Amino acid sequence: MEKKWLLRNTSKDVISLANKSGVSPVVAKILINRKFDNEIDIRKFMRASIDDLYDPFLMKDMEKAIDIIKLAIENKEKIVVYGDYDADGVTSTVIMYKGLKRSGANVEYYVPDREHEGYGINSDRIRKLNDEGFKIVLTCDNGIAAIEQVKLAKELGLIVIITDHHELQFDENESGERTFKLPLADAVINPKQKECNYPFKNLCGAGIAFKFVQALFIKSGIDMKFVNEFIEIAGIGTICDVVDLVDENRIIAKNALDMLTNTKNLGLRCLKEMLSINDKEIKCYHVGFQIGPCINATGRLESASISVELLLCEEENRAKELAKTLFDLNKKRQEMTTENVEEVIELIHNSTFKNDKVLVIYKDTIHESIAGIVAGRVRETFNVPTIILTKGKETPKGSARSIKEYNLFEELIKCKELLEKFGGHPMAAGLSIKEENIEKLRQKLNLICTLTDEDIKPKIRIDQRMPLGKISYEMINELEQLEPFGKGNSSPLLAEKNIPILKIDILGKTANTIKIKCVIPGLNKTIDGICFNRVDEFIEMLKEKYGEEHMNYLTNPRGMKLDLIYSPQINEYNGRKSIQLKILEFKLS
């Protein structure tokens, strides 16, 4: 698929702002591209200090909720933390449970079964919790859409506190006016409420759980050093839930990564050992693509309570056993995902709807726990919003993933008469639907879709044009200060045109890596570039240009020049350091 390269430009005085903010012009330009265009915001961004966290009592209903919990602790009433089965839900549950335990609460936790109970509060489970003598239900990472379930809990005499970060449900009249619907809980904590004046709206479930415990400790007179211990757990949820890594999310994630490198959490230490990263500096990649998927795998294939137990575990042999379980389940999940993604992509290529702007795929053999991952991979392949549905216990259910130009949650609202249940965000959602409505949903979403061909063309936004001769160790160190990278703070992309190529090698056991020796014009020097998993695409590019001679140019790139989008990095090999380019995109000049 053709990609559009776009160079970001600004009218701001980059040099002046860099001098005022105490950063280099390169860093200042990148931060301007991320909409940090004044020295106060830049200094706060670079500082990422725990001291800059907001007062948790600025959240609507926080004071009310803490007063309820404190009274329950004094009266030794039974509290249940009602969590969720993904990494954000697991980490939220751990934070809430440990925070309440330290406060002296009579507390237990419950994580629902994905297959049998589904997402959010389950009515049958509420009845069972009531029968078991629980007086307070405290949700985390769910509950904002549980209108009927909260109503039932209140009828049974339970006290319900909702802490959630998902979008609010609403009704819309013919004029487009919206009436937002909230569960009639005793307290509802969600910064996305219109009446909530909290300065930052985009915390994940674990971030809100952290703020809740912070508020509880303040009211209980517990030393703040104890609440800061929860930052590393909140950071895992923040990174894995793919929220914007700015403002409080950046503070949580950046400090979490520092803590995770030398974590004191026994379960995390054992999991890091299983992943062979116990001696590495932990980065966003390790959390998002190694630690997080292992935590998620338990909720997908068995029970998320296994992951909760690991993060709470204080007995070494048991922690090692649990860590191995997580590792093995994730390996199984990876194999299932690869197989299903390949089958779905083939199905799309052979279908009548392969050119749809919104893909709606029903394949009843997909394990419902990996529908979201499959949707994400298919979305990446075709760059269009994708809904993957599979056979559920009662009706088909599944997950959806979107692109930046398409607000998935809003579009599903327009089709709510076809859906049994749904919820989520602009970029991701979960839903259940009767089988006879699946084709109707596909047709309606595509009928009302306003995406253009230009919208679905992948866009790569380049931060700055950077001649290879200007790259230095100092610049790379400066760019690393912008970490952690993720949604809202993407890894900086640099680019240069007309780079002379001296040599091209295909490396790796499966010949999936390209190594390109680039000439630095005017300096009589070279710099190596590495590109992963794009060998076939590179060879196809040469074939289009050079025809039958293309393999000769691969072995002897005489006169070849490339335009590259890259990220500079430091390569260490056999004790020697060198600068190399991580090549992200390429085309012939």
Side-chain angles (χ1 to χ4, degrees):
M1 185 180 293
E2 183 189 355
K3 298 172 184 174
K4 190 170 184 177
W5 294 19
L6 301 169
L7 180 63
R8 298 177 189 265
N9 291 309
T10 181
S11 59
K12 295 281 181 183
D13 186 340
V14 175
I15 302 297
S16 174
L17 185 59
N19 291 336
K20 289 177 183 175
S21 307
V23 298
S24 71
V26 173
V27 167
K29 172 64 164 55
I30 290 165
L31 288 175
I32 289 169
N33 294 342
R34 308 287 183 274
K35 304 197 184 317
F36 296 95
D37 56 4
N38 64 76
E39 61 184 287
I40 295 172
D41 288 345
I42 288 178
R43 286 184 183 276
K44 182 179 176 182
F45 180 93
M46 297 300 290
R47 191 166 58 232
S49 170
I50 291 171
D51 294 335
D52 288 330
L53 292 170
Y54 301 118
D55 179 353
F57 290 103
L58 293 173
M59 278 192 199
K60 179 181 177 292
D61 281 3
M62 182 66 83
E63 187 117 28
K64 187 192 298 185
I66 297 302
D67 286 343
I68 291 169
I69 291 295
K70 277 183 60 58
L71 184 61
I73 292 172
E74 289 171 15
N75 294 333
K76 304 191 183 312
E77 291 177 332
K78 289 181 71 175
I79 303 169
V80 62
V81 173
Y82 200 115
D84 185 33
Y85 40 68
D86 68 358
D88 190 22
V90 165
T91 50
S92 302
T93 303
V94 170
I95 292 166
M96 284 291 201
Y97 177 78
K98 289 187 77 171
L100 287 166
K101 271 287 185 187
R102 186 178 281 279
S103 303
N106 178 11
V107 61
E108 296 179 29
Y109 62 83
Y110 182 74
V111 182
D113 181 275
R114 180 191 289 262
E115 188 172 347
H116 296 104
E117 295 179 298
Y119 169 76
I121 304 175
N122 178 275
S123 294
D124 288 340
R125 181 58 54 182
I126 286 294
R127 292 186 184 97
K128 288 178 182 176
L129 293 171
N130 181 61
D131 291 343
E132 291 167 11
F134 287 98
K135 298 298 181 185
I136 297 176
V137 177
L138 171 61
T139 76
C140 48
D141 193 33
N142 75 93
I144 201 67
I147 309 293
E148 293 304 316
Q149 294 83 355
V150 171
K151 182 182 177 184
L152 170 64
K154 294 305 299 172
E155 288 171 355
L156 292 171
L158 293 167
I159 293 172
V160 182
I161 298 171
I162 303 291
T163 75
D164 200 355
H165 71 114
H166 291 94
E167 301 293 333
L168 277 63
Q169 300 281 332
F170 59 83
D171 291 323
E172 190 172 66
N173 63 23
E174 293 179 359
S175 304
E177 295 173 337
R178 295 178 175 181
T179 304
F180 288 92
K181 300 189 295 184
L182 286 174
L184 296 175
D186 295 86
V188 178
I189 297 171
N190 183 334
K192 289 177 178 165
Q193 296 176 83
K194 188 177 179 181
E195 303 83 4
C196 183
N197 296 319
Y198 197 70
F200 185 59
K201 303 293 185 181
N202 294 320
L203 288 164
C204 68
I208 292 173
F210 172 76
K211 301 302 296 188
F212 188 93
V213 172
Q214 186 184 31
L216 178 60
F217 282 17
I218 290 170
K219 275 270 190 172
S220 304
I222 298 173
D223 196 316
M224 279 298 99
K225 71 179 182 182
F226 294 115
V227 79
N228 291 340
E229 292 175 6
F230 297 116
I231 283 180
E232 68 174 342
I233 305 296
I236 295 171
T238 299
I239 292 166
C240 293
D241 215 50
V242 200
V243 288
D244 288 353
L245 294 183
V246 297
D247 208 301
E248 278 196 315
N249 287 339
R250 171 174 168 79
I251 294 170
I252 290 169
K254 187 173 178 62
N255 285 279
L257 292 175
D258 292 340
M259 295 172 72
L260 285 165
T261 298
N262 299 295
T263 183
K264 295 176 183 177
N265 184 291
L266 178 60
L268 286 172
R269 287 208 309 269
C270 292
L271 183 55
K272 284 170 61 181
E273 197 169 334
M274 279 300 307
L275 293 165
S276 302
I277 58 172
N278 50 317
D279 59 345
K280 287 183 165 53
E281 180 184 356
I282 300 301
K283 305 273 191 178
C284 254
Y285 171 83
H286 300 112
V287 176
F289 293 94
Q290 292 182 282
I291 294 172
C294 285
I295 292 171
N296 271 322
T298 59
R300 295 185 191 284
L301 302 182
E302 284 196 23
S303 169
S305 59
I306 300 170
S307 290
V308 175
E309 185 184 351
L310 174 71
L311 297 179
L312 295 173
C313 191
E314 296 181 356
E315 199 278 306
E316 188 164 3
N317 288 335
R318 178 59 176 160
K320 287 180 177 179
E321 180 186 332
L322 290 166
K324 186 177 189 309
T325 299
L326 264 67
F327 182 85
D328 291 344
L329 284 172
N330 189 49
K331 190 174 180 182
K332 181 180 177 182
R333 190 274 310 163
Q334 289 171 325
E335 292 166 356
M336 291 167 60
T337 300
T338 300
E339 180 183 346
N340 279 287
V341 168
E342 290 172 355
E343 289 176 357
V344 170
I345 288 174
E346 184 179 358
L347 185 155
I348 293 168
H349 280 308
N350 296 325
S351 73
T352 56
F353 51 79
K354 60 185 175 183
N355 295 319
D356 281 2
K357 292 287 199 309
V358 183
L359 290 170
V360 180
I361 313 296
Y362 177 49
K363 191 169 186 295
D364 61 8
T365 56
I366 295 176
H367 195 292
E368 69 177 70
S369 67
I370 62 169
I373 306 175
V374 175
R377 299 278 178 84
V378 174
R379 186 270 319 271
E380 288 170 7
T381 303
F382 296 95
N383 203 51
V384 294
T386 300
I387 300 174
I388 298 293
L389 297 162
T390 187
K391 188 175 182 179
K393 186 181 176 184
E394 297 172 356
T395 60
K397 60 196 298 190
S399 294
R401 297 294 182 267
S402 195
I403 59 176
K404 189 177 180 181
E405 294 81 1
Y406 186 86
N407 189 319
L408 188 59
F409 184 75
E410 293 279 343
E411 296 304 306
L412 286 175
I413 284 171
K414 297 173 186 176
C415 305
K416 64 183 178 182
E417 77 281 359
L418 297 172
L419 304 173
E420 296 301 294
K421 190 178 178 182
F422 75 99
H425 307 288
M427 294 292 286
L431 65 154
S432 59
I433 182 172
K434 290 179 179 176
E435 189 169 343
E436 60 264 30
N437 286 336
I438 293 174
E439 179 59 22
K440 294 175 186 175
L441 177 67
R442 185 188 75 79
Q443 290 180 9
K444 181 167 183 180
L445 283 173
N446 280 280
L447 181 67
I448 64 176
C449 179
T450 57
L451 288 171
T452 65
D453 290 340
E454 191 65 23
D455 288 332
I456 63 174
K457 184 182 290 186
K459 298 168 188 65
I460 304 162
R461 303 185 187 279
I462 300 161
D463 283 295
Q464 192 160 343
R465 185 172 178 179
M466 184 63 62
L468 303 189
K470 290 191 175 181
I471 301 170
S472 65
Y473 288 101
E474 183 182 14
M475 177 196 290
I476 294 170
N477 290 332
E478 288 170 351
L479 294 179
E480 286 179 350
Q481 293 173 24
L482 298 173
E483 293 184 0
F485 300 126
K487 185 170 177 281
N489 182 38
S490 55
S491 182
L493 297 182
L494 308 179
E496 182 56 324
K497 289 183 173 183
N498 300 312
I499 300 170
I501 305 305
L502 190 63
K503 188 181 180 186
I504 301 171
D505 292 307
I506 307 296
L507 309 174
K509 291 180 182 178
T510 57
N512 66 340
T513 302
I514 311 167
K515 183 177 180 182
I516 302 173
K517 192 170 285 295
C518 305
V519 176
I520 303 176
L523 292 181
N524 196 29
K525 291 181 180 180
T526 61
I527 186 170
D528 288 337
I530 295 288
C531 186
F532 300 102
N533 302 315
R534 303 281 292 280
V535 172
D536 291 344
E537 189 179 333
F538 190 87
I539 291 174
E540 188 62 31
M541 177 187 72
L542 296 182
K543 192 174 182 179
E544 284 183 18
K545 173 74 173 177
Y546 301 114
E548 294 181 3
E549 296 283 311
H550 70 280
M551 293 307 291
N552 294 333
Y553 280 88
L554 190 66
T555 54
N556 181 19
R558 54 192 182 280
M560 184 189 296
K561 290 186 178 182
L562 293 176
D563 298 345
L564 300 178
I565 296 177
Y566 66 88
S567 178
Q569 55 187 208
I570 297 172
N571 181 44
E572 291 191 43
Y573 184 71
N574 287 338
R576 296 182 62 185
K577 288 185 177 182
S578 62
I579 294 174
Q580 73 175 15
L581 312 179
K582 181 181 178 182
I583 297 172
L584 303 160
E585 298 294 337
F586 49 77
K587 58 185 177 183
L588 288 162
S589 300

